[in-house]
Structure formats: structure tokens, C-alpha cells
Amino acid sequence: IPAAGATYKNLDAQTDIAKIAEYCQQMIDANVDALIIFGGDPAANVDIVKSADEAGIPVFMAALDVAEEGRQYVKACVGPDQEQMCYDIGKYILDENGADAGLKVVQISGVPFLDDYIQREAGFKRAMDEGNYELLEPDYAYSSRTDAKSFMENHIQAEGDSIDIVMGFDDDLTMGAVAAIEEAGLTDKIKVYSLTGQNDAIQAVADGKMELTVMNRADNIAKELCVAMAEWFTNGSTEYYHYTELTYINKDNVQDYIGKGEF
């Protein structure tokens, strides 16, 4: 924490843009010493970070960046390089399966307006553009594993065993797709890749139901936020981007991570 005796208050807006704005304004009105924002719409957050800056409150973004025009009002953005992470997953897929294999790829994504999903999809598409793959448009399950399963069931019904790859942009949603694939008896046919590093996804890798998950731990983000804040309050400056560590979990190392996911 930036200073001895500092207190911490957390308000959960549950990805609701209006609530994020409301809760941030509450903290600005309370004249807090620092404000951390996780989530929301990158463009909508511009007004929030500008208001905080005008009130003399340093702002730190957790996992998700603000839109470019708001970065002048933010001290640091802490989290994984979302686009690079999914570009690397895409390159892993191309390397594992052959860049010219002509495979069909289903995408199961989350919330279309959240910056992390936007960046993840962009990075993955950039990698896929380097191969000869058929990339289907993303399905947006928001926070519903049930909806993710339904999307996958619809794909299986419509396209049958012509599906080769599933890319899930969050383990919780990806596991819905895994369930649909397993029920359809296509586990040996469809390869699944994902990210987050949840325990059930790690177990799915161990069980041969998924090829890869990338662990992106919130506690790493929290620790690095403390580093960024300490640097700012001590020196008056810090690097804008503090990228956090990722762990790639596949069949070769999965036994080292079973039960060690974040949740």
C-alpha cells in the first residue's frame, strides 16, 4: 500500500457502466487519495478519470485501459498485455496445427464493449490472419456459462464435425463450450484453447478436454498495482504500462498447476 495506515474500500459494479461511473464519483466526492478502476467502457471512463484528475486524485487502471484520450489523466495501467496474450495463443494454435491447415475456428467471447475482450479478439484475429483458417464471428455469452454452452450447441448442430478449433476468451465461458463438445461426443475432434487459469479449466487440460489455458492471476495485478502506486506516491512518477506475468498451461506442465488456479 502507498502509505502506512492507508485504508482500502472496494465497490463492485459488476461490469455495469452506470454503476462504475456512480461509484467512482462517490470516491471522487469523498476525496480519496487514489482511485483504482477495473472494468467499464474505455470511452466512458475518460470523463471519470478526467474528473478525478481535476480533483487531484491519481487514477490507476486495473487490467483494462482507458481510451487513448483519457490516458493523460491516468498514472498507470496494470495487467496483462491482453492483445499480445491472445496473439500468442493464436500463434500457438498455428504452430501446433499447421498454419495452412484450413481449420474452422469458433470464438466464444464475453462482453463486446469491454476493452479486455476487444483487445483479446483483436490479438487473436491478428494471429489467425497469418494462417489459412476460417475464423467465425465471436459469440458473446457475457458472464453466462450456460449461454456459452448454448452457442456451442448451436454451432455443433449447424456445422457438425466441421468445427476444428474453439477459442474461448475466458475459462468460465470456455467450460460451457467444453461441456457441449463432450455431450456431443466430439472431444477427440475439436481442440479447445482458452485463458484465465481456473481450476476446472486446468483440470480439463489434464483430462484432455482442452489444449491450453493461460493463467492470468488477479493477485499478480493487485501486487503490481501496489508497486505502481508506491512508485507514484514516492517518486511522483511511474511507467504507464505495468504488464503482469502470464502462465501458459498445456499437457506438458499441467500436473504442476492442478488445484492451483485462482478459483
Side-chain angles (χ1 to χ4, degrees):
I1 58 177
T7 58
Y8 167 76
K9 184 173 183 179
N10 174 56
L11 296 174
D12 185 3
Q14 299 180 338
T15 73
D16 186 310
I17 294 174
K19 285 184 179 179
I20 290 170
E22 176 188 347
Y23 291 164
C24 286
Q25 190 59 52
Q26 287 180 19
M27 296 299 99
I28 293 169
D29 292 342
N31 195 32
V32 296
D33 294 308
L35 177 64
I36 298 170
I37 303 174
F38 172 51
D41 178 86
N45 283 343
V46 172
D47 289 338
I48 297 171
V49 299
K50 183 178 180 182
S51 295
D53 182 74
E54 290 172 348
I57 299 170
V59 179
F60 300 84
M61 306 302 296
L64 307 175
D65 203 357
V66 69
E68 185 174 358
E69 60 268 29
R71 290 174 195 158
Q72 61 185 307
Y73 309 115
V74 173
K75 306 310 177 188
C77 177
V78 180
D81 188 332
Q82 305 274 359
E83 182 172 345
Q84 185 64 41
M85 171 176 59
C86 287
Y87 173 81
D88 290 342
I89 294 173
K91 290 292 286 182
Y92 179 91
I93 292 171
L94 295 181
D95 290 343
E96 287 289 301
N97 298 282
D100 293 323
L103 303 182
K104 181 178 288 187
V105 183
V106 168
Q107 299 182 87
I108 304 294
S109 194
V111 183
F113 58 78
L114 288 185
D115 190 51
D116 53 348
Y117 286 109
I118 293 169
Q119 289 190 46
R120 290 171 188 178
E121 291 171 26
F124 187 68
K125 184 179 185 304
R126 182 160 58 91
M128 289 294 99
D129 286 345
E130 297 179 12
N132 179 31
Y133 281 39
E134 181 183 353
L135 188 61
L136 302 184
E137 289 298 314
D139 294 304
Y140 293 102
Y142 284 72
S143 300
S144 172
R145 185 181 291 201
T146 300
D147 287 351
K149 182 182 179 185
S150 295
F151 282 130
M152 194 66 226
E153 289 170 340
N154 292 342
H155 280 293
I156 291 171
Q157 184 176 7
E159 296 151 66
D161 61 2
S162 68
I163 301 165
D164 302 293
I165 302 286
V166 172
M167 175 60 194
F169 293 98
D170 180 88
D171 278 347
D172 194 45
L173 305 176
T174 308
M175 289 305 298
V178 167
I181 292 167
E182 186 174 15
E183 289 176 9
L186 294 172
T187 299
D188 293 337
K189 169 65 174 63
I190 300 175
K191 294 183 176 182
V192 182
Y193 303 81
S194 187
L195 56 96
T196 305
Q198 292 182 197
N199 281 320
D200 55 356
I202 294 170
Q203 187 62 53
V205 173
D207 293 340
K209 299 175 184 179
M210 282 176 51
E211 302 296 312
L212 174 78
T213 184
V214 179
M215 186 182 289
N216 168 29
R217 295 187 62 93
D219 55 358
N220 285 342
I221 296 174
K223 290 174 185 176
E224 192 61 30
L225 274 165
C226 291
V227 171
M229 293 171 69
E231 289 179 354
W232 171 258
F233 281 101
T234 301
N235 305 319
S237 64
T238 187
E239 292 288 332
Y240 186 82
Y241 287 112
H242 287 243
Y243 290 129
T244 51
E245 182 181 359
L246 298 167
T247 303
Y248 289 74
I249 302 172
N250 60 19
K251 63 182 180 181
D252 296 329
N253 64 353
V254 66
Q255 296 300 324
D256 296 333
Y257 295 100
I258 291 175
K260 297 179 180 179
E262 197 164 29
F263 50 90

